[in-house]
C-alpha cells in the first residue's frame, strides 16, 4: 500500500521522490524525457542560476509559458529558493498581464518569447518603456530567445534560458540546497489569479504542505500509482493543472506527459504513444477528442482514471474514450483545486451525478442562502468548506475576512446539497440563482431536466429581466446531432417534469461554436444573453 510522502515542502518532496524513484520518468514533453533524478538535477541548476540573478526567499517570480518541462522546472526551482511562483495566463490580454505583474510585484519573469499569436517580448516592451509601469520587474529569462543580454540588466530583453543555466556555476550547490531546507510547510508556494470578468482578478496564495497533501488525497481517490502516466493538456497556469494534476502525479512518483497546447488529433496520438492511463479534461476537450476523425484509429486502451468536471453526459464522453474510472470532482483554486472527489471504484452512476465525498481533512456544510444556517441532507444551499484552504487573497485583507463565516467555513459562492452518505451534488453558482416572481430557482435543476430530453445534448439556463416577474428563465439548447427540437416540444416536456414556475419562458437553439468560453473551456454564463434576440 502506498503512503503519503513524508515531505511537507516542495523542495523536500522532490528530493524524496528522486531518492525513491531515481530512474522513473517524471516529466515528458517538448521532445524531452526527465527522470526524477534528472528533474531534480535540472531544478537545482535552474535554482542556482536564479539565485545568481538575485532571486531570494519571499520574492515573487512569474512563469509565462505553455505546457513544457521548463514550466515545471522553473516552478520547482523557485520553490527550492523559497520564492513564490506566479502562474500567468498565456491567453491574457496585455492589460490583464500588466495587472498581474504589477499587483504581484513580480521581480523576475520566466517566459517563452512567443506562444501562438502572442509576442511576449513585444508585449513587455509596451508595458514598461521606461520601467515606469512595472518598477519591480528587474529580470527576464526567455526560452527560445535568439539573443541574450547582460544578467540583471535593468532595461532590455533579459537573458536566455541557456544563459540562466550557465550562470549556475556562480552559486554553490550547497547554497540552494540550504535554501530548500529553510523553506517552511506554511510558506507560500504559488500565487494564482482568478479569471476576473468585471472586477479585478483576485490573487490566491497557496502553501507548500497543502499543495502536497491535498493533491495526494486527490490521487488516492483516482487510484493513482507510481506506474501511471498522465496526459496533461490542461494549462499549468490554471489551478486544475498546477495545484491538482501536477502535484497529484508527482506525489505518487508517476509521470506527467505534457501537451504544449491542446490539439485533439495530437492529443489522441500522444495518449496512444505514451500509453497514458490518467487524463484531466474539460468538456470541450473531451468532445473534441470524441469527434476527431482519427479517434477510431487510435488505441486508447491504457486510459483508466482521472478527473473531469461537467454534466453526466459530458463525463460519459471520458468513459467512452476509455477512462472508465473517471472521477467527478468539485473545488476552487482556494481549496487547492479539489475539496471533494468521487472514488474511482464507486459505481458509474454515483460518479456521473455526484462530485464525491469531501477529501480527508475537509469538512463540507450546506447553508441556507439567506440565514446562513446549516441545512440537513437533501436541502440545497450554499456550499461552505473548512480544511486545506488558501492563506489569503493577496493584498486584500477585507475580502479574505469576508470569505469566511463565523464558524471558519469558506463561502464558495456555489450551490449544492449533501446526501445521507455525505456525497456532494453541485447545483450551480449562487450568483446564477434566478429569482422569478419572488421564488428562487437554481438553473442547474432545469438544465438537468432538459438534458434528459432525447433531442438535447446540452442546456444552459439563465435569467433575463421581465417587467412582471423581475426575471424569467431562458434556455439555450445544443441539440443532439440529427435533432431539432421545437420550443413548443421542449416547453411541453418541461411542464411534465417541473413545477410551472421552473419552466423556461423561451428556448433558443445554438451550436457549440456559439458558446462563449473562458480560456479553460468553461461556458461564460454572463455572456450567454448575447446569443438571444431581443423580444
Amino acid at each position: 500500500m502506498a503512503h503519503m510522502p513524508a515531505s511537507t515542502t516542495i523542495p523536500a518532496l522532490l528530493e524524496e521522490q528522486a531518492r525513491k524513484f531515481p530512474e522513473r520518468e517524471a516529466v515528458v514533453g517538448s521532445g524531452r524525457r526527465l527522470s526524477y533524478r534528472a528533474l531534480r538535477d535540472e531544478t537545482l541548476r535552474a535554482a542556482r542560476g536564479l539565485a545568481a540573478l538575485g532571486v531570494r526567499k519571499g520574492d515573487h517570480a512569474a512563469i509565462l509559458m505553455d505546457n513544457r518541462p521548463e514550466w515545471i522546472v522553473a516552478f520547482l526551482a523557485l520553490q527550492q529558493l523559497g520564492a513564490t511562483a506566479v502562474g500567468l495566463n498565456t491567453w491574457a490580454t496585455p492589460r490583464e498581464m500588466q495587472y498581474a505583474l504589477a499587483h504581484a510585484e513580480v521581480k523576475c519573469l520566466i517566459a517563452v518569447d512567443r506562444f501562438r499569436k502572442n509576442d511576449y517580448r513585444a508585449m513587455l516592451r509596451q508595458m514598461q518603456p521606461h520601467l515606469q509601469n512595472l518598477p519591480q520587474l528587474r529580470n527576464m529569462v526567455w526560452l527560445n530567445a535568439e539573443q541574450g543580454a547582460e544578467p540583471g540588466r535593468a532595461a532590455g530583453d533579459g537573458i536566455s534560458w541557456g544563459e540562466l543555466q550557465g550562470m549556475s556555476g556562480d552559486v554553490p550547490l550547497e547554497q540552494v540546497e540550504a535554501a530548500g531546507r529553510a523553506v517552511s510547510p506554511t510558506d507560500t508556494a504559488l500565487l494564482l489569479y482568478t479569471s476576473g470578468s468585471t472586477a479585478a482578478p483576485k490573487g490566491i496564495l497557496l502553501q507548500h504542505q497543502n499543495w502536497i497533501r491535498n493533491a495526494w488525497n486527490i490521487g488516492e481517490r483516482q487510484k493513482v500509482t507510481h506506474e501511471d502516466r498522465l496526459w496533461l493538456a490542461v494549462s499549468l497556469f490554471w489551478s486544475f493543472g498546477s495545484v491538482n494534476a501536477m502535484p497529484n502525479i508527482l506525489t505518487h512518483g508517476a509521470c506527467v506527459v505534457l501537451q504544449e497546447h491542446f490539439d485533439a488529433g495530437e492529443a489522441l496520438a500522444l495518449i496512444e504513444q505514451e500509453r497514458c492511463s490518467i487524463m484531466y479534461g474539460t468538456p470541450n476537450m473531451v468532445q473534441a477528442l470524441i469527434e476527431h476523425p482519427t479517434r477510431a484509429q487510435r488505441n486508447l486502451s491504457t486510459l483508466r482514471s482521472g478527473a473531469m468536471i461537467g454534466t453526466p453526459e459530458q463525463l460519459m464522453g471520458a468513459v467512452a474514450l476509455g477512462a472508465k474510472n473517471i472521477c467527478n470532482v468539485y473545488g476552487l483554486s482556494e481549496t487547492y483545486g479539489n475539496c471533494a472527489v468521487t472514488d474511482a471504484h464507486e459505481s458509474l452512476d454515483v460518479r456521473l451525478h455526484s462530485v464525491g465525498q469531501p477529501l480527508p481533512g475537509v469538512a463540507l456544510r450546506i447553508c441556507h442562502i439567506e440565514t446562513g444556517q446549516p441545512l440537513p441532507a437533501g436541502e440545497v444551499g450554499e456550499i461552505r468548506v473548512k480544511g486545506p484552504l488558501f492563506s489569503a487573497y493577496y493584498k486584500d485583507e477585507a475580502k479574505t475576512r469576508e470569505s469566511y463565516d463565523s464558524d471558519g467555513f469558506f463561502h464558495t459562492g456555489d450551490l449544492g446539497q449533501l446526501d445521507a452518505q455525505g456525497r456532494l451534488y453541485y447545483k450551480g453558482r449562487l450568483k446564477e440563482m434566478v429569482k422569478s416572481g419572488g421564488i428562487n430557482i437554481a438553473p442547474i435543476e432545469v438544465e438537468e431536466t432538459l438534458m434528459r430530453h432525447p433531442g438535447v445534448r446540452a442546456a444552459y439556463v439563465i435569467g433575463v429581466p421581465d417587467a412582471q416577474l423581475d426575471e424569467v428563465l431562458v434556455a439555450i439548447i445544443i441539440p443532439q446531432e440529427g435533432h431539432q427540437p421545437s420550443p413548443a416540444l421542449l416547453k411541453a416536456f418541461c411542464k411534465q417534469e417541473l413545477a410551472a414556475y421552473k419552466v423556461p419562458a423561451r428556448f433558443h437553439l445554438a451550436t457549440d461554436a456559439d458558446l462563449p468560453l473562458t480560456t479553460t473551456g468553461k461556458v461564460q454564463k454572463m455572456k450567454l444573453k448575447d446569443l438571444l434576440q431581443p423580444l
Side-chain angles (χ1 to χ4, degrees):
M1 180 179 176
H3 297 283
M4 183 186 295
S7 305
T8 55
T9 68
I10 296 170
L13 173 69
L14 183 58
E15 182 179 7
E16 180 180 348
Q17 301 301 67
R19 185 173 62 253
K20 288 167 63 176
F21 308 107
E23 303 309 321
R24 185 173 295 280
E25 283 189 339
V27 179
V28 172
S30 304
R32 305 187 64 207
R33 296 180 180 275
L34 295 174
S35 67
Y36 274 91
R37 189 204 307 273
L39 178 61
R40 184 165 189 263
D41 289 345
E42 189 158 326
T43 293
L44 292 174
R45 185 160 55 251
R48 293 166 72 188
L50 289 168
L53 274 182
V55 177
R56 298 289 183 266
K57 183 179 177 69
D59 285 350
H60 289 182
I63 306 173
L64 174 63
M65 63 182 81
D66 46 349
N67 283 9
R68 56 176 65 210
E70 289 84 358
W71 200 108
I72 296 177
V73 170
F75 171 81
L76 295 172
L78 292 171
Q79 306 313 309
Q80 187 70 35
L81 298 174
T84 296
V86 182
L88 294 180
N89 186 337
T90 56
W91 295 84
T93 64
R95 178 190 61 80
E96 292 168 330
M97 192 81 70
Q98 182 169 321
Y99 174 85
L101 289 167
H103 185 263
E105 300 178 275
V106 168
K107 294 184 177 180
C108 179
L109 172 66
I110 307 167
V112 288
D113 54 0
R114 292 177 181 273
F115 178 58
R116 291 187 168 176
K117 296 180 180 179
N118 293 319
D119 182 338
Y120 292 125
R121 281 180 180 266
M123 189 183 294
L124 263 292
R125 292 190 196 106
Q126 293 170 6
M127 287 182 200
Q128 52 160 25
H130 304 292
L131 293 180
Q132 295 173 351
N133 298 326
L134 300 171
Q136 299 288 335
L137 184 58
R138 310 300 291 178
N139 292 294
M140 288 171 277
V141 180
W142 298 101
L143 275 75
N144 301 332
E146 295 179 1
Q147 294 181 345
E150 292 299 320
R153 193 168 70 179
D157 286 343
I159 65 170
S160 71
W161 179 259
E163 287 175 306
L164 177 78
Q165 292 178 311
M167 293 168 60
S168 63
D170 298 337
V171 174
L173 175 62
E174 295 76 13
Q175 180 177 322
V176 296
E177 288 182 327
R181 291 191 295 272
V183 174
S184 164
T186 57
D187 283 348
T188 299
L190 194 56
L191 170 55
L192 294 179
Y193 282 87
T194 59
S195 53
S197 52
T198 55
K202 299 187 294 288
I204 299 167
L205 299 174
L206 302 168
Q207 298 176 347
H208 281 250
Q209 65 180 359
N210 290 336
W211 187 89
I212 294 170
R213 291 175 176 175
N214 203 66
W216 165 266
N217 288 324
I218 291 169
E220 288 297 283
R221 290 282 170 91
Q222 297 171 9
K223 310 306 178 189
V224 172
T225 76
H226 63 274
E227 296 180 346
D228 279 310
R229 298 172 72 80
L230 164 72
W231 162 63
L232 187 62
V234 169
S235 298
L236 283 165
F237 65 75
W238 187 24
S239 64
F240 201 38
S242 59
V243 189
N244 187 326
M246 177 173 70
N248 167 4
I249 296 304
L250 296 184
T251 55
H252 284 82
C255 178
V256 180
V257 178
L258 295 170
Q259 185 175 10
E260 291 186 5
H261 58 87
F262 178 69
D263 174 273
E266 292 175 5
L268 291 167
L270 189 63
I271 293 168
E272 179 183 46
Q273 292 163 10
E274 293 295 334
R275 300 183 60 78
C276 294
S277 52
I278 306 294
M279 64 175 288
Y280 270 60
T282 58
N284 61 315
M285 285 181 173
V286 170
Q287 189 66 28
L289 293 176
I290 290 172
E291 295 175 351
H292 197 272
T294 66
R295 175 198 166 199
Q297 303 164 24
R298 295 297 181 185
N299 180 359
L300 308 183
S301 61
T302 54
L303 281 178
R304 187 187 82 255
S305 186
M308 188 177 163
I309 52 177
T311 65
E313 183 180 66
Q314 289 167 335
L315 266 79
M316 278 302 299
V319 173
L321 288 172
K324 292 181 172 55
N325 293 328
I326 195 74
C327 295
N328 206 340
V329 300
Y330 170 76
L332 307 88
S333 297
E334 289 91 336
T335 66
Y336 290 82
N338 294 154
C339 57
V341 180
T342 56
D343 191 286
H345 289 171
E346 289 184 291
S347 71
L348 179 58
D349 184 67
V350 166
R351 287 182 284 116
L352 291 179
H353 294 93
S354 167
V355 291
Q357 293 180 321
L359 292 171
V362 174
L364 295 179
R365 177 182 284 182
I366 305 299
C367 294
H368 191 279
I369 296 167
E370 295 171 354
T371 68
Q373 291 300 307
L375 294 172
E379 295 289 324
V380 175
E382 185 192 15
I383 303 169
R384 297 187 186 179
V385 183
K386 183 182 281 189
L389 290 165
F390 72 121
S391 305
Y393 291 121
Y394 186 55
K395 295 181 180 178
D396 202 334
E397 293 181 8
K399 187 169 288 296
T400 302
R401 287 193 302 270
E402 293 168 4
S403 299
Y404 291 87
D405 65 19
S406 57
D407 292 331
F409 280 77
F410 173 69
H411 291 277
T412 66
D414 289 329
L415 294 168
Q417 68 183 94
L418 293 169
D419 66 13
Q421 289 73 42
R423 294 191 186 97
L424 179 65
Y425 294 79
Y426 176 72
K427 296 297 180 182
R429 290 290 293 163
L430 183 59
K431 66 182 179 182
E432 292 169 2
M433 183 75 80
V434 177
K435 197 159 192 173
S436 181
I439 303 173
N440 286 323
I441 306 169
I444 195 170
E445 180 185 359
V446 185
E447 293 167 353
E448 290 174 345
T449 299
L450 280 164
M451 284 188 286
R452 291 199 293 270
H453 188 283
V456 175
R457 181 162 63 77
Y460 304 94
V461 174
I462 59 175
V464 298
D466 180 80
Q468 290 184 323
L469 299 174
D470 291 332
E471 284 186 296
V472 294
L473 298 179
V474 174
I476 290 92
I477 302 296
I478 310 295
Q480 290 281 12
E481 188 175 354
H483 290 259
Q484 199 76 2
S486 69
L489 188 67
L490 292 171
K491 179 167 282 193
F493 177 79
C494 288
K495 283 182 176 179
Q496 292 177 350
E497 302 287 326
L498 295 164
Y501 64 88
K502 298 178 182 177
V503 176
R506 295 168 57 191
F507 296 85
H508 175 87
L509 298 187
T511 67
D512 288 315
D514 295 327
L515 298 176
L517 302 178
T518 67
T519 57
T520 51
K522 293 182 180 179
V523 173
Q524 295 178 296
K525 278 203 164 183
M526 297 293 289
K527 294 184 178 182
L528 284 174
K529 292 179 184 178
D530 297 341
L531 300 181
L532 305 177
Q533 297 295 326
L535 290 174

